[in-house]
Amino acid sequence: MLPHFTYVRPESVSDAVRQLTSRGARIHAGGTDLLGCLRDGVFTADKVVSLSRIDSLRGIAPSGGGGLRIGALTTLAAVAASPLVREQYAALAQAASAAASPQLRNQGTIGGNLCQRPRCWYFRGQFRCARKGGDACFAVSGENQYHAIFGGSSCFIVHPSDTAPALVALNAQARVVGPAGERVVPLEQFFVLPAASVEKETVLEPNEIISEVLIPAPPAGQKSAYRKVRGRGAWDFALASLATAVVVTAGRIAQARVVLGGVAPIPWRSEGVEKAIVGRRLDAKIVAQAAEAAVKGATALEKNDYKIPLVKGIVTEGLTALIEPAAAKGRTDE
Ligand SMILES: Cc1cc2nc3c(=O)[nH]c(=O)nc-3n(C[C@H](O)[C@H](O)[C@H](O)COP(=O)(O)OP(=O)(O)OC[C@H]3O[C@@H](n4cnc5c(N)ncnc54)[C@H](O)[C@@H]3O)c2cc1C
């Protein structure tokens, strides 16, 4: 059962920020994550601040300089279906359409998808784990098959969002509004590792709102893609995922941003893969080197070592899809 709380529906972002300054206030966007957490006692709320009446938070439109602005209250279904997103930012359209189920995508928003809380069963269950103010991460010696192989320390959650790795690959930013005004935060710096803060997943303060996501104009010739491996064909969170945004010039990778999902407490930028492919003409040998680089530094827990070959596989698959037909027939670089 849901606990009692005050429910307010401000009509402007500034009013919403004002409402959030009281202790125990929480933002409600689509509610698909928030209401489950409140019902299950994962955390409490004295006041729930609905964003639903703030029309300025909705919509997808070109922004200055050839980029795109997506209002935080835009649903995942709208993001996935947008011709602007599909044409210029395929990775985001693919990620949004791979998230959750059709019903959840119709209700869940892009802002909520970035700020959803972790899915770790100890965090969601009746356990006072480190993320809930306790002393230990129970996943370390417990049921850890879905947990992190990178970036864990005092906590081994994986970041649950599909759109986050895609947006980091696309070099997107979040506009954040709070009592002190606005700031624009690159999404690459938006998520925080447990070593920096074990009780929050983002740099947001409790009284700050993401108002919009800003994606820069894609560099000429950029191709982006999102691949997700899940345990079953129906809705499910990623066991591992891969977002790529690459520019190929004269057959060589000129630029690359490669981000893994489902394997770390934050979208995990794989600079090892980027270094292995930038400046190279992709072929089977380079792809194999990149796949090895992708798992360098990975540390498996007792039950999640399958994620290491899984990451290698998803990187191999994602990069192989970029190989030109002649190279795919066996030509090697240099
Ligand atoms: C069964 C199930 C399966 C799912 N599977 C997937 C999946 O495969 N992939 C995936 O990516 N997601 C998945 N999800 C998560 C789902 O996509 C998110 O619940 C949804 O995107 C959250 O959006 P919302 O608008 O409903 O957020 P809400 O539930 O309203 O909010 C979620 C959190 O974000 C905060 N918040 C919301 N909007 C803002 C904002 N603008 N600024 C600051 N904070 C904000 C809220 O306070 C809350 O803490 C699944 C969820 C369920 C229930």
Side-chain angles (χ1 to χ4, degrees):
M1 216 170 71
L2 276 175
H4 288 281
F5 48 74
T6 309
Y7 188 67
V8 293
R9 289 194 286 168
E11 294 188 2
S12 68
V13 174
S14 54
D15 196 14
V17 168
R18 234 183 340 268
Q19 293 286 356
L20 285 167
T21 49
S22 63
R23 209 177 143 75
R26 305 251 179 206
I27 297 171
H28 175 257
T32 61
D33 183 43
L34 178 84
L35 297 180
C37 288
L38 292 177
R39 181 201 57 207
D40 297 342
V42 178
F43 50 73
T44 59
D46 296 322
K47 184 201 276 184
V48 170
V49 179
S50 166
L51 303 181
S52 63
R53 286 192 173 161
I54 312 178
D55 288 337
S56 64
L57 294 179
R58 290 200 172 82
I60 303 176
S63 63
L68 202 65
R69 172 247 175 222
I70 305 179
L73 214 53
T74 308
T75 64
L76 294 174
V79 171
S82 160
L84 288 172
V85 177
R86 292 162 75 103
E87 278 159 26
Q88 290 200 292
Y89 308 104
L92 178 59
Q94 291 161 8
S97 59
S101 64
Q103 293 92 332
L104 287 159
R105 294 195 292 274
N106 282 334
Q107 179 69 17
T109 65
I110 188 93
N113 194 253
L114 296 174
C115 298
Q116 61 177 300
R117 302 306 308 274
R119 285 279 153 184
C120 169
W121 36 43
Y122 296 108
F123 175 73
R124 295 265 167 170
Q126 308 296 313
F127 300 89
R128 194 169 151 72
C129 68
R131 194 159 288 276
K132 289 198 287 199
D135 294 330
C137 172
F138 299 114
V140 173
S141 55
E143 294 300 323
N144 50 37
Q145 44 272 57
Y146 299 124
H147 290 75
I149 56 170
F150 295 107
S153 52
S154 48
C155 166
F156 282 79
I157 59 157
V158 293
H159 200 273
S161 163
D162 282 305
T163 62
L167 286 166
V168 173
L170 294 167
N171 208 7
Q173 303 169 315
R175 189 183 301 281
V176 171
V177 187
E182 287 186 13
R183 60 193 172 119
V184 172
V185 185
L187 282 178
E188 195 171 351
Q189 290 158 26
F190 180 76
F191 302 100
V192 295
L193 282 169
S197 167
V198 74
E199 290 187 36
K200 57 189 230 175
E201 294 86 46
T202 73
V203 297
L204 286 185
E205 296 301 332
N207 51 12
E208 288 186 315
I209 297 176
I210 297 183
S211 62
E212 58 191 15
V213 172
L214 302 162
I215 319 180
Q222 176 173 277
K223 288 184 192 165
S224 72
Y226 184 75
R227 283 165 192 270
K228 173 177 181 180
V229 179
R230 49 189 145 191
R232 54 186 192 166
W235 67 263
D236 213 346
F237 291 88
L239 296 173
S241 67
L242 173 75
T244 51
V246 302
V247 176
V248 183
T249 308
R252 287 176 191 269
I253 304 287
Q255 295 175 34
R257 289 175 67 91
V258 176
V259 184
L260 296 167
V263 292
I266 60 172
W268 191 254
R269 186 150 175 212
S270 187
E271 288 176 1
V273 174
E274 294 170 10
K275 280 196 190 110
I277 62 173
V278 169
R280 313 306 293 266
R281 191 182 294 277
L282 286 190
D283 60 24
K285 186 172 144 207
I286 300 294
V287 169
Q289 287 168 357
E292 283 303 326
V295 295
K296 195 156 179 242
T299 312
L301 299 165
E302 193 187 343
K303 296 177 182 167
N304 68 358
D305 58 349
Y306 71 91
K307 287 198 177 190
I308 291 178
L310 190 59
V311 166
K312 283 205 232 176
I314 201 169
V315 169
T316 304
E317 200 179 77
L319 297 183
T320 301
L322 293 168
I323 294 183
E324 291 175 2
K329 281 192 199 127
R331 193 180 67 200
T332 55
D333 198 17
E334 255 72 285

